[in-house]
Amino acid sequence: MENTNNNQMKNEMFESVENSAKPGAVIKAEPSNIPVSGKSKSIAVKHKKTKMSNIIFNIVNITIFSILALLCIYPFYYMIINTISANDLSANGFVNFIPHKIHFKNYTDVMKIKGIGTAALISLARTLLGTFCTVFASAFLGYMFTRAKLWMRTFWYRFFVITMYFNAGIIPMYITMKNLHLTDNFLVYILPAIVSPFSIVLVKTYIESIPESLCEAAELEGANFFEVFLHIILPLSKPILATVAIFSIVGQWNSFQDTLLYITNQSLYSLQYLLYTYINQASSLAALVHNSGIQAAANIATQQTPTSIRMTVSVIVVLPILFVYPIFQKFFIKGIMIGSVKS
Amino acid sequence: MSEFDKNEGLDEEFEKNLSKLQSKVESLEDERLSPEEKQEKIEKGLLDAVKDIDKGLKDLNSKTEEEANSSVKEEVPKKLIKDPETLNLNNFSKVDEMGEGEDSPINDEPKPVRKKKESIFKAPEVDPNEGWVNDAPAANAVQTEFVVTNKSKTGTIGFKMFLAILPFVILTLLFSYFPLHGWIYAFFDYKPPIKLSDSEFVGLRWFKMLFGNSVQIKQMAQVLINTFAMSFIGIATSILPMLFAVFLNEIKSEKFKNLIQTFTALPNFISWVMVYSIAFCLFSDSGMINTLLNNAGIITTPIKFLDSDSHTYLWMTLWSIWKGLGWGAIMYLAAITTIDPELFEAAKVEGGTRFQLMRYITIPSIMPTFMVLLMMAIANFLNNGIDQYYVFQNSFNKEHIQVLDLYVYNVGMTGSSLSLAAAISMLKSIISVVLLTMVNFVSKKTRGESII
């Protein structure tokens, strides 16, 4: 809702400032008339007006962007302060801006729920392993496709990149995974993600900007293509590999569809899928807590409610992203710039 | 004589003078030194020169050897290198073998021809005055071998490189190309425990069934309307990230700009499950909005934001804008930074206002990026993805939230028939590829470059 309001505001502002900005055009039309006193006065007034409109524009612009930023960041803040505030307060909607009666019992309790530990491990494992594989594969393939000697290079490059533009669809994919015995298998998280055509294109574009003479010199020194890759290309392409890594980390950690499609074994559920089932089983969550034996120790102030569990799990799920995100931000903006220059 | 030439003449003169002066200074310094010191200095200089020459020779020698080794390493057993003659002969035959064994079927380069030693023996001719090359027959031989294998070496190494990427080729085959075989299930009556070979071949039955009876047609039509509506709204709102970027660019403070960018791009990095979780926190019966309104006494019964079918399209659009706006703008911001700042300066000098700059410089400069993204959006018209709609779907809003991808999932995985779903899947994929090709064609015609 607020989004549309903002846009309306933006448009109104656009029109109003455009109208008041017209004096600038007058100045442009008569630049040589400055010595004439009357006109110069009017120009000065108009200058003032332009300045005023500029200031108004800046204020409105900054306000709108602040509101947008707040809209994006507040939900996370809201969830975090509610999970660390006393549950009876947060359940009644008293915790909206500042946390009250801070405690971390929600977290220690949620950790005791059966399944969360395994799910967190699965999510962590697939993120680390999957990211490592994807980054290595993208770097290696991106490098190989810059080597002119590679047998049928153009053909293989197309062979990889064209897969960006078609897919067989959910059902054929499911049938394939079933035939390959990858359903209910941890490898289904890793193997299909290893070759990522988009990352390959990114890395290849970047490596092409590294002077060819560096590789040639190393080859003259007797290094084979793999040594060149390991000792020259890898260290030099760190920024783009960081970009690929962040994409991969986020993709792996957030991935939900593959668990939904291919996994029925509960011990292989990822954190995302577990969170989804929790949100959907709002009513049965209380029972879940009862069964875990947490209730016995809980007093009235920190009593578990379905909402508090849901929120706590959500925060646990989103926290790694919140941590990783600022670290890599500078890298992926750089990476996107490379990508946009390419396209 | 031009000004420039004169200057050059002056420069030359200046340099001459300079060098004269330098030599004078040196000679003066020399005069100040005692005879013993002079002797020492000369000796040291000579020693240094000898050392330099020695080092250069060594470098050259080792380099040739290394080169030779690198070419020999993979093809010849190490011991052969010791004897230059055997090395030479053995290598020729070895190279031929390699050529026939690995190269010929895959490489159109000519096979290595056995040539006379002299004709290909090029290295010494480059520097005939340097004795070291002629004094080192081993190096000669190795050098020869290097030149001969050079051609076939490219092929062998190329193939070796291919072997290195082969695992990835196989992975791509398995997970991108091989799944296409799943389309044949659309022509069978496949029920999972029974094997495909035991299933009944039904031809186009599923395709006919899609439009067979009125109920099916109605459902299909609704699904298509949903898909088109979501995609169309998505394309219509794709202008927002561009506006976002243009207006954000008007903020002068770099720090504030970065902060806004960081905050607004954040939602793009959380999953749709997480978005749903946030939606649940804020808009469910016991969520923030309902609690606040209730506490303020405005409502007595909670408003059903999520469990209703009112404004489903609008809600879905708002959530995707919330998630994607900041991130989508980054692309445009990157494009804006590539605009030549002189363009803005010139326009400002001419008296252009802020909005004129935006209207006539910034927006036209990022139009190509917008066009590319627009074309991609059109090509992906049928691919809404499943995550967003799957997590937000419930029994209340099912009618309007079910897009093609979700419908395929619901029919195939939870519903009646895997084969029917495969049929829809197949139709969708084919239409998508056709769309992409068409968009690409249009892009080629209008912009002169393809988007693929």
Side-chain angles (χ1 to χ4, degrees), chain A residues 110-186:
Chain A
V110 160
M111 285 304 179
K112 286 178 200 151
I113 297 177
K114 222 181 126 208
I116 287 219
T118 353
L121 269 182
I122 292 284
S123 275
L124 199 67
R126 68 171 290 180
T127 304
L128 294 180
L129 199 63
T131 303
F132 175 77
C133 292
T134 310
V135 169
F136 178 81
S138 308
F140 187 60
L141 290 173
Y143 160 69
M144 289 308 256
F145 288 125
T146 62
R147 313 307 296 152
K149 280 179 196 161
L150 177 66
W151 174 59
M152 289 174 69
R153 178 173 67 141
T154 340
F155 171 79
W156 292 118
Y157 184 60
R158 295 233 173 91
F159 175 86
F160 279 103
V161 169
I162 203 102
T163 58
M164 257 200 285
Y165 299 104
F166 73 90
N167 63 57
I170 305 167
I171 303 301
M173 234 11 222
Y174 172 74
I175 294 168
T176 308
M177 293 301 180
K178 214 171 165 59
N179 290 345
L180 294 173
H181 300 289
L182 281 172
T183 48
D184 275 336
N185 188 336
F186 178 72

Side-chain angles (χ1 to χ4, degrees), chain A residues 90-94, chain B residues 284-296:
Chain A
S90 61
N92 291 320
F94 293 130
Chain B
S284 67
D285 289 358
S286 58
M288 178 195 171
I289 304 289
N290 272 323
T291 318
L292 278 182
L293 291 178
N294 205 10
N295 288 353

Side-chain angles (χ1 to χ4, degrees), chain A residues 50-61:
Chain A
T50 323
K51 256 187 192 162
M52 271 306 286
S53 73
N54 258 348
I55 290 169
I56 292 170
F57 171 80
N58 278 338
I59 291 172
V60 174
N61 205 15

Side-chain angles (χ1 to χ4, degrees), chain A residues 55-88:
Chain A
I55 290 169
I56 292 170
F57 171 80
N58 278 338
I59 291 172
V60 174
N61 205 15
I62 288 175
T63 315
I64 288 175
F65 276 113
S66 306
I67 292 171
L68 279 179
L70 218 64
L71 279 179
C72 288
I73 211 78
Y74 179 71
F76 299 100
Y77 179 71
Y78 174 80
M79 283 206 301
I80 292 172
I81 59 170
N82 269 287
T83 53
I84 59 172
S85 294
N87 285 341
D88 57 337

Side-chain angles (χ1 to χ4, degrees), chain B residues 258-407:
Chain B
N258 280 340
L259 200 71
I260 297 285
Q261 218 175 316
T262 310
F263 280 0
T264 51
L266 176 62
N268 184 64
F269 290 88
I270 63 169
S271 62
W272 276 110
V273 178
M274 208 45 225
V275 175
Y276 180 58
S277 172
I278 286 172
F280 209 91
C281 276
L282 300 179
F283 296 105
S284 67
D285 289 358
S286 58
M288 178 195 171
I289 304 289
N290 272 323
T291 318
L292 278 182
L293 291 178
N294 205 10
N295 288 353
I298 298 171
I299 54 163
T300 47
T301 49
I303 304 171
K304 303 264 184 198
F305 290 106
L306 297 169
D307 297 339
S308 79
D309 200 14
S310 56
H311 313 298
T312 305
Y313 295 160
L314 180 71
W315 275 107
M316 287 302 107
T317 311
L318 285 182
W319 282 116
S320 30
I321 290 176
W322 181 76
K323 192 171 187 283
L325 182 63
W327 173 251
I330 283 184
M331 206 75 127
Y332 294 109
L333 284 168
I336 287 175
T337 55
T338 61
I339 302 174
D340 187 358
E342 276 180 28
L343 224 55
F344 289 110
E345 295 296 321
K348 266 181 203 162
V349 168
E350 291 287 323
T353 61
R354 193 176 217 164
F355 283 95
Q356 284 169 335
L357 296 193
M358 276 155 79
R359 167 79 182 74
Y360 294 108
I361 298 179
T362 316
I363 291 182
S365 313
I366 56 179
M367 241 359 188
T369 314
F370 179 72
M371 289 312 283
V372 170
L373 295 181
L374 182 70
M375 300 249 175
M376 293 300 273
I378 294 171
N380 281 322
F381 204 80
L382 292 182
N383 305 321
N384 303 87
I386 173 173
D387 282 17
Q388 177 184 4
Y389 307 103
Y390 181 82
V391 294
F392 275 98
Q393 84 167 336
N394 51 47
S395 44
F396 300 96
N397 62 14
K398 201 164 186 172
E399 191 186 340
H400 286 105
I401 208 170
Q402 203 163 232
V403 294
L404 212 45
D405 280 321
L406 185 57
Y407 183 63

